[in-house]
Amino acid sequence: MRQNNMKKIKPLAFYLPQYHPIPENDEWWGKGFTEWTNVGKAKPLFEGHEQPICPADLGYYDLRVPEVREQQAQMARDYGIHGFIYYHYWFGNGKQLLERIANEVLETGKPDFPFCFCWANETWSGIWHGLTSKILAEQTYPSDEDIISHFNYLLPFFKDKRYIKVDNKPLLMIYCPEHLQKGDPNYIKKFRKLAKENGFDDLYIMASNKQPDELDYDSMGYDGKVSHAFQKAWIPYIQGKEYISGAQYYKRRLKGILGIKEKEKDKPKVRTQDIALIADQMQYTNANVETFPMVLSNWDNTPRSGYNGVILTNNSPLVFRKQLNKAVEFLSKKDHSENFLILKSWNEWAEGNILEPDLKNGFSYIEEVKKIIKE
């Protein structure tokens, strides 16, 4: 590896700005709902299934408390993480959700820790939560006026000294490039024009890991792409197992309540897949724009999705380290504007996708990030 010649590796961790009540979640799921509601009520779905997963050092926090945000930033800094990627929700016509945390971070200037946004441009549906296909918040791209309003909302963040930039270009990640392309293929061009009009050299637009690396991101207006390698290695395992639909799950629950015994073959089975095999088979390849490796520490979204969920088994710091080694090896062969290493995720507790310490694993996963940065 040509690590001696490498730019500094900058790990960036996806960050969910939830964990506080909002009126919409109160309406959809009940008063006071947060992701902790799902995390706390989770049950093991088979023998040996480790649920619920309990937070350790930070507890069941409320992100409205500034001290919690400071503790998170200090913890991330201590373990080698360069910054957070806050999910940002703008649905069109000025409609936002979960914007409070970022607004307070901007207004207070705290924590003094780098951040950028990933615009999570997709429709919110209740399909994974027992509400069938009910649309909760629809992602739209209604007008040029809305694009200007969206940019003007983001502009004070872009100007903040903590906002992550590539040269003089604020980094903005787009979660679903194809959705944006179909909704308004010129959205990015208009954003770039507005950035230049407001004193920046440009924007650095990065596509997320959601979609395959083979799409033509260059012609769609992107500068960078988060690698799809983990999902690509995961897909054969996902396709090899059958989904249990929400309707099937609740039908079987009703049978249980009524004391109707099910035949063995009819019992619902949650899908489990071996992360060690996925990590072994994962290979980073180049998109036609700068490509940044992504690693995934762990996954169990059954607290949110029940029998519709997926569990990655055989998680361990060793398997995580194997992914990190591949990521560093990939970066060592690149001459990117920056050496971003994308971590999924800091605090997706209801997906079992966390770097924050839990009671079982403590700091063992985030410790691997610290080690590889030191090395």
Side-chain angles (χ1 to χ4, degrees), residues 69-103:
R69 305 194 297 256
E70 290 279 7
Q71 287 175 312
Q72 288 176 316
Q74 188 60 51
M75 186 181 290
R77 186 183 295 112
D78 288 346
Y79 284 83
I81 293 176
H82 176 71
F84 288 142
I85 306 167
Y86 293 146
Y87 284 115
H88 160 68
Y89 306 91
W90 181 283
F91 294 94
N93 293 315
K95 172 67 176 176
Q96 292 195 72
L97 288 173
L98 301 180
E99 72 277 16
R100 172 173 175 165
I101 303 308
N103 289 347

Side-chain angles (χ1 to χ4, degrees), residues 266-278:
D266 292 331
K267 290 183 179 178
K269 292 181 175 65
V270 70
R271 293 176 301 152
T272 61
Q273 290 134 16
D274 189 337
I275 193 174
L277 295 177
I278 296 168

